[in-house]
Amino acid sequence: TDLPRSPPAAAEPRHASPAAPRRLREKLRTAARMAGPPAHTAPGSRQQVQGGEGRAEPATGAPPARETRAPFRFDYQRFRRSLRHPVRGRRPSEDPETRARRMKIKEMMKFAWDNYKQYALGKNELRPLTKNGHIGNMFGGLRGATVIDALDTLYIMELEEEFQEAKKWVEKSFDLNVNGEASLFEVNIRYIGGLLATYYLTGEEVFKSKALELGEKLLPAFNTPTGIPRGVINLGRQDTRSLFSPCSGMSWSWGWASAGSSILAEFGTLHLEFLHLSELSGNPVFAEKASTSQLGVMNIRKVLNRVEKPQGLYPNFLSPVTGNWVQHHVSIGGLGDSFYEYLIKSWLMSDKKDSEAKKMYDDALEAIEKHLIKKSAGGLTYIAEWRGGILDHKMGHLACFSGGMIALGAEHAGEERKQHHMDLAAEITNTCHESYARSDTKLGPEAFRFDAGSEAMATRLSERYYILRPEVVESYMYMWRLTHDPKYRQWGWEVVKALEKHCRVEAGFSGIRDVYTTTPTHDNMQQSFFLAETLKYLYLLFCEDDVLSLDDWVFNTEAHPLPVNHTNFKA
């Protein structure tokens, strides 16, 4: 039997849930041990690989020549004029109840920020019970994760004074000269995504320059034989004197990842941000192959299109050395999730020109429908996990983003597929709502199952916790925008009330250890993504559709809005 496991005290990676079945976690550790001797943890034992080892060399063997180009300037004012809607909307008349609910969510954001500022400013997260800050080991010495994650939410909610406080911290205290091991994925979605979004919203140069400087520090992770990046990058030990020469940084695979593999949800969740880094810098190194090296996110697709997909599905672990799958575990939740999200969003962000991304998404969704989507005896539609052909009938909270994703894709499908996919999106979102409705707190567990007579409930003690995750309300927001069915706003308001009742404490918001008790224990962690995602999606649920309109913006997997490329903005 599973013993109760406390939710993690550290900032929580979107995909690497500690509530994964223990058998799987033990297999991951065993595979890592077999692959090589462990060093120290980051978060598990790791395999140490010099960034230059196995690097693809220029075909001639000679160092690539440094390219000289005219200085590039992004025309911000032209970009703003290209937007089809004002960023914060036009504020038509609205019913008082909707406005009151939106104002309540704004108050929650101010409360979360004010307490972070008072007790933890500059640390990565607030510990609201002990009233202090937490740093963690995911960000390689970077600080202020909550600041960067909160910036665009503060701006959209018109919390002007709080936004200026956050901006001042970035200007005066945000130090990129750090030396430590960072998650490529987490730094990209939280820091790069947050800085890019805030630049596009405000035009303030400090956010752009910090994003570009940090983006350069991530490039050595791509120095592998295949160009598939490793999961861990040392932000300090590198040489970026020329973005057109191989960098000498160090990168590793996570020790718990099977046999030194890279993870689908990590290397598949770089595309949106890296294309914008190229857009703002004029430097193609982020998006395309740079000179004769294999840096760049476009190369990732080439590797994925080359490798055979079992039943058309994408397993979660891929070797960055051979470009082959390491094992056949498929999940739309943890380890896989945002790869699929970024395919449809890459197409939308390209103004529907990136046909390769659209085809990859359509083919993947077809395989998911065929092999993973099931209906329970009670009539609930869910997405199972696939382990070498054997289905595991569970769905993680992380997988609940998929209702919104499928609805977003359905908007742009042919007429016959559109209705089918909208129905599917509504069914999955309903199942995720049931996981909330069937708990005593009206908040959902980390994972819920459809076996042994149980439906949409956690059956293991280790899966009962809720850490302020956003995926369910994310789907409510998309479903509201695309259908205007009032139930999605009602469901969102139920979440607001549950957060207020069970997660709000004296000095912030905290996750809880068991959603099935009305007197839950708190985990003493206000996750940065609560401010970036959960509160932003709830706020947008009660806004008019032209606030961060889906015509103009796509949200990265940390809910940071990035603009659709309507045109070329080189000055």
Side-chain angles (χ1 to χ4, degrees), residues 457-476:
M457 293 185 71
T459 57
R460 304 181 182 192
L461 291 174
S462 60
E463 296 172 346
R464 291 177 166 222
Y465 63 87
Y466 172 72
I467 56 170
L468 308 174
R469 285 208 190 272
E471 291 77 23
V472 173
V473 296
E474 175 182 352
S475 284
Y476 293 170

Side-chain angles (χ1 to χ4, degrees), residues 26-46:
E26 290 304 324
K27 283 181 187 173
L28 292 175
R29 293 190 190 104
T30 302
R33 282 197 297 271
M34 292 171 64
H40 60 283
T41 59
S45 59
R46 66 173 191 185

Side-chain angles (χ1 to χ4, degrees), residues 371-446:
H371 299 288
L372 303 183
I373 291 181
K374 300 294 173 186
K375 189 159 284 210
S376 71
L380 296 178
T381 301
Y382 63 97
I383 307 179
E385 298 192 3
W386 191 83
R387 302 177 189 280
I390 298 169
L391 288 182
D392 184 5
H393 296 273
K394 79 157 192 180
M395 202 169 162
H397 194 292
L398 291 164
C400 283
F401 85 97
S402 58
M405 175 189 74
I406 293 168
L408 199 55
E411 264 299 281
H412 309 281
E415 208 50 48
E416 182 185 335
R417 300 300 292 166
K418 177 175 181 176
Q419 192 54 53
H420 171 71
H421 284 158
M422 282 306 297
D423 291 344
L424 178 60
E427 290 171 17
I428 291 169
T429 304
N430 178 67
T431 298
C432 292
H433 171 255
E434 284 297 316
S435 78
Y436 276 52
R438 297 181 187 197
S439 83
D440 296 60
T441 57
K442 305 306 175 192
L443 294 166
E446 180 69 5

Side-chain angles (χ1 to χ4, degrees), residues 224-382:
T224 67
T226 58
I228 296 289
R230 301 184 190 275
V232 188
I233 175 79
N234 188 306
L235 294 175
R237 301 186 60 175
Q238 52 193 272
D239 175 8
T240 53
R241 284 169 298 181
S242 169
L243 292 181
F244 290 90
S245 67
C247 303
S248 61
M250 300 173 71
S251 64
W252 303 268
S253 295
W254 293 111
W256 51 263
S258 185
S261 56
S262 295
I263 295 160
L264 184 67
E266 295 199 331
F267 67 77
T269 309
L270 302 167
H271 200 93
L272 303 184
E273 297 84 358
F274 274 55
L275 259 62
H276 277 289
L277 290 173
S278 281
E279 174 88 0
L280 290 180
S281 65
N283 192 335
V285 68
F286 297 105
E288 306 285 355
K289 284 187 177 183
S291 185
T292 50
S293 82
Q294 287 189 318
L295 295 175
V297 292
M298 299 304 285
N299 179 63
I300 292 171
R301 285 195 198 161
K302 293 177 185 172
V303 176
L304 289 174
N305 285 329
R306 198 161 57 228
V307 66
E308 185 179 347
K309 268 73 73 181
Q311 310 292 322
L313 297 166
Y314 288 84
N316 292 336
F317 298 100
L318 185 84
S319 167
V321 176
T322 67
N324 294 321
W325 306 116
V326 173
Q327 57 166 260
H328 287 183
H329 171 217
V330 177
S331 168
I332 312 307
L335 306 176
D337 49 11
S338 44
F339 163 71
Y340 305 96
E341 173 190 356
Y342 271 39
L343 291 177
I344 190 63
K345 288 181 176 179
S346 292
W347 180 69
L348 292 170
M349 196 178 80
S350 74
D351 215 9
K352 304 174 191 172
K353 295 182 181 73
D354 185 354
S355 55
E356 180 184 49
K358 180 69 159 59
K359 183 178 188 319
M360 290 174 73
Y361 172 79
D362 288 341
D363 291 350
L365 184 57
E366 186 178 331
I368 289 164
E369 274 206 80
K370 186 174 181 182
H371 299 288
L372 303 183
I373 291 181
K374 300 294 173 186
K375 189 159 284 210
S376 71
L380 296 178
T381 301
Y382 63 97

Side-chain angles (χ1 to χ4, degrees), residues 499-513:
L499 287 168
E500 284 284 288
K501 184 174 182 180
H502 299 293
C503 299
R504 187 166 180 147
V505 294
E506 182 188 348
F509 288 88
S510 169
I512 57 176
R513 297 183 190 277

Side-chain angles (χ1 to χ4, degrees), residues 498-559:
L499 287 168
E500 284 284 288
K501 184 174 182 180
H502 299 293
C503 299
R504 187 166 180 147
V505 294
E506 182 188 348
F509 288 88
S510 169
I512 57 176
R513 297 183 190 277
D514 186 352
V515 298
Y516 299 108
T517 173
T518 51
T519 54
T521 307
H522 293 98
D523 69 6
N524 195 26
M525 184 61 62
Q526 181 176 281
Q527 303 282 353
S528 79
F529 56 67
F530 180 66
L531 292 82
E533 300 184 75
T534 311
L535 292 176
K536 183 186 290 122
Y537 285 132
L538 284 167
Y539 183 81
L540 293 174
L541 179 59
F542 292 96
C543 284
E544 294 300 313
D545 292 356
D546 61 355
V547 180
L548 289 180
S549 167
L550 298 180
D551 293 336
D552 287 325
W553 304 90
V554 294
F555 293 94
N556 89 336
T557 201
E558 191 80 1

